[in-house]
Amino acid sequence: MDDRPTGWRTRIPRERARPRWVRESSLSWQLAVLTVCFGGFMSQLDASIVTLTYPSLEREFGERLAAVQWVSLVYMLVTAAVLVAVGHVSDVLGRKLVYLHGFGLFALSSAACSLAPDLTTLVCFRGVQALGAAMLAGNSVALVSLVAPREKLRTALGMQAGGQALGLAVGPTLGGVLVSTVGWRWVFWINVPVGVLATLLGRYLLPRTAERAGGARFDLRGTVWLAVASAALLGGVSVFSGTPLPGWSGVVLLAVSAAAFRGFARREARAPEPLVPLSLLGDRRVGWGLVGALAGYLVLFGPLVLVPLVLTRHGESEMRAGLLLGALPAAFALASNLQEHLLPRRWNGRRRALTGAALSTAGLLGLAFAAPVDPWLICWLAVLGLGLGLFTPSNNETLMRAVPRELSGTGGGMVNTARALGTALGIAVVTLTLELGDGRGAGSVLPPLPVLTLAAAAALAGVATLRAGR
């Protein structure tokens, strides 16, 4: 289509081309994917590292935990609310452009967070930081899908998923070191030089957007409906995952979310230039792929909360619990990056995803009855990580192949929205089932009820793969 800006794009700067030596290099797509992995790593690192600052924030600002938790909650709410809209804007304006500006905003808001004089200011700047993170996350899957050769797409998406898993794994450890040595403000300061470096790398290593969607009119009403629906859904789930709000508020938020989703669907059916074409969601590969993505991330994040919580309650140190838990993200990163060598090359994405879902279910069933012996716990966590590392890239590959290239940003935004909701659901499932359960089972180190519930979610991921078809 015509690359000249029109309508609401008129004063947007144009993307700059990569240097010729980069474009002509046989490693150009790997370099671009590694740059995107940088963003995935940082966004997940920041999401997991901030919880380590809670005690310091309580002491310095004299606030209760109920108020301090908004530092994390506002980040999740804003990210979930704007991911799809950011993806759509990227499809119209340029994915490289939005991605680089996202890193710039992320770095500037991180500096502002580190200088916050009070908790209210910190929460406000965390909301701005979440917008920058959404500009990164909303583009990550799209950029990888567009830059990687077709035959290397699954491998590239595995690298991207591995970068996110590594950020989750490193976050708690790095956060503990920074808070205990140089103070909580450095949890945010560390993002500034990283953001500057990533912006420079993206400028020279990311390709310009070759195919853009139309967009002379921006679907503002559709964006508002979807933002309200996503934020209310995430807020409602968060109420049941330990947020200090009354239970009735969670029911109200879920009802608001359902009503907003209905309003969004009606708006998109009538909009001349919809934010999300309903025909896209009508494709079973996309619809069931999103269900699979949500279930997969639920299964990933549930144990990240459950294992350290239970182990520390039974006398293990936080560091030892974290080291044991590291088997899960380590195996995830290994499988997502090396699955071409772990499974027959002739297998398609559907068979790989089914194998991953089956391994994840088996790993969780093993955890439900694992004796409190470190090697067994590590073994079953590794099996779970291997399964998720096989499932996630294959599921995302199937989904993104069904999305038109000019709408890849929108598709990537939907995948990451599913990730955000899956994260919140994983926390909620663990919290609720721990309260309903009666402690650990006979001879097992983990309570069976939350683990078996997560196993059911892993089985749902397999069902979604079957329903999505080829």
Side-chain angles (χ1 to χ4, degrees):
M1 64 173 291
D2 188 355
D3 192 46
R4 290 173 298 178
T6 60
W8 60 288
R9 307 183 291 166
T10 302
R11 287 179 288 275
I12 301 298
R14 298 168 69 91
E15 295 175 327
R16 295 185 178 181
R18 296 173 291 176
R20 182 177 178 180
W21 67 269
V22 174
R23 295 197 305 270
E24 296 178 352
S25 170
S26 60
L27 299 176
S28 60
W29 74 268
Q30 291 101 322
L31 294 173
V33 171
L34 286 174
T35 303
V36 174
C37 288
F38 213 107
F41 172 83
M42 285 306 301
S43 61
Q44 292 304 303
L45 174 74
D46 198 76
S48 62
I49 198 174
V50 170
T51 56
L52 276 297
T53 68
Y54 285 2
S56 297
L57 294 176
E58 287 181 277
R59 290 192 299 269
E60 180 164 336
F61 296 137
E63 299 282 359
R64 298 176 58 188
L65 180 60
V68 170
Q69 285 185 334
W70 277 96
V71 174
S72 292
L73 186 58
V74 73
Y75 188 91
M76 291 191 297
L77 290 175
V78 172
T79 302
V82 302
L83 270 169
V84 176
V86 165
H88 175 74
V89 170
S90 302
D91 286 333
V92 176
L93 300 183
R95 298 168 195 99
K96 177 177 181 177
L97 182 73
V98 174
Y99 191 85
L100 294 183
H101 280 73
F103 247 128
L105 182 61
F106 187 80
L108 287 173
S109 56
S110 295
C113 287
S114 68
L115 299 172
D118 53 59
L119 185 62
T120 301
T121 304
L122 176 58
V123 169
C124 291
F125 283 127
R126 277 286 284 174
V128 179
Q129 188 186 37
L131 177 58
M135 294 168 72
L136 298 176
N139 272 293
S140 58
V141 175
L143 282 167
V144 170
S145 299
L146 292 172
V147 74
R150 185 175 179 83
E151 67 277 7
K152 298 292 186 181
L153 178 56
R154 185 165 50 242
T155 300
L157 288 171
M159 293 170 62
Q160 186 259 344
Q164 290 182 333
L166 185 60
L168 286 172
V170 172
T173 303
L174 180 59
V177 171
L178 290 174
V179 171
S180 61
T181 55
V182 292
W184 68 266
R185 295 182 186 274
W186 279 92
V187 168
F188 300 105
W189 268 123
I190 196 173
N191 292 331
V192 178
V194 172
V196 173
L197 175 61
T199 302
L200 291 174
L201 289 175
R203 161 67 180 82
Y204 292 103
L205 299 180
L206 291 178
R208 290 187 296 181
T209 303
E211 297 169 316
R212 305 188 188 206
R217 297 179 183 177
F218 182 68
D219 185 13
L220 181 59
R221 279 188 285 179
T223 300
V224 172
W225 277 118
L226 184 59
V228 171
S230 302
L233 177 58
L234 189 58
V237 170
S238 298
V239 170
F240 299 109
S241 64
T243 302
L245 295 173
W248 61 263
S249 65
V251 176
V252 171
L253 285 169
L254 292 179
V256 169
S257 176
F261 271 121
R262 182 180 179 185
F264 172 72
R266 295 178 63 182
R267 165 62 187 172
E268 297 307 279
R270 300 193 305 265
E273 295 180 10
L275 181 69
V276 179
L278 294 184
S279 59
L280 191 62
L281 293 176
D283 188 320
R284 66 178 184 174
R285 293 171 296 174
V286 175
W288 283 105
L290 291 173
V291 173
L294 187 147
Y297 285 112
L298 187 159
V299 173
L300 173 62
F301 279 85
L304 294 177
V305 177
L306 175 66
V307 173
L309 183 61
V310 172
L311 291 183
T312 52
R313 284 181 179 179
H314 290 284
E316 297 285 359
S317 68
E318 288 84 352
M319 180 167 291
R320 181 174 171 80
L323 289 174
L324 292 173
L325 181 62
L328 195 164
F332 182 103
L334 177 69
S336 61
N337 284 283
L338 299 178
Q339 65 169 282
E340 297 296 335
H341 303 284
L342 298 175
L343 296 176
R345 292 180 180 272
R346 66 179 182 275
W347 281 18
N348 59 19
R350 186 189 190 199
R351 182 175 291 186
R352 291 169 183 270
L354 285 172
T355 302
L359 275 176
S360 300
T361 306
L364 286 163
L365 291 176
L367 284 173
F369 304 102
V373 180
D374 290 350
W376 281 109
L377 182 63
I378 294 173
C379 174
W380 290 118
L381 285 171
V383 171
L384 174 59
L386 285 171
L388 291 171
L390 295 174
F391 172 81
T392 302
S394 300
N395 178 77
N396 291 350
E397 178 201 22
T398 301
L399 191 161
M400 291 303 295
R401 284 189 188 278
V403 176
R405 291 178 64 86
E406 68 273 12
L407 295 178
S408 58
T410 301
M414 291 192 294
V415 170
N416 282 289
T417 299
R419 174 183 57 78
L421 295 176
T423 301
L425 283 170
I427 298 170
V429 164
V430 167
T431 303
L432 287 174
T433 51
L434 278 176
E435 292 180 357
L436 294 173
D438 56 354
R440 57 184 179 178
S444 62
V445 66
L446 299 177
L449 182 59
V451 180
L452 292 176
T453 305
L454 292 172
L460 174 62
V463 172
T465 300
L466 289 173
R467 296 288 294 173
R470 293 185 179 275

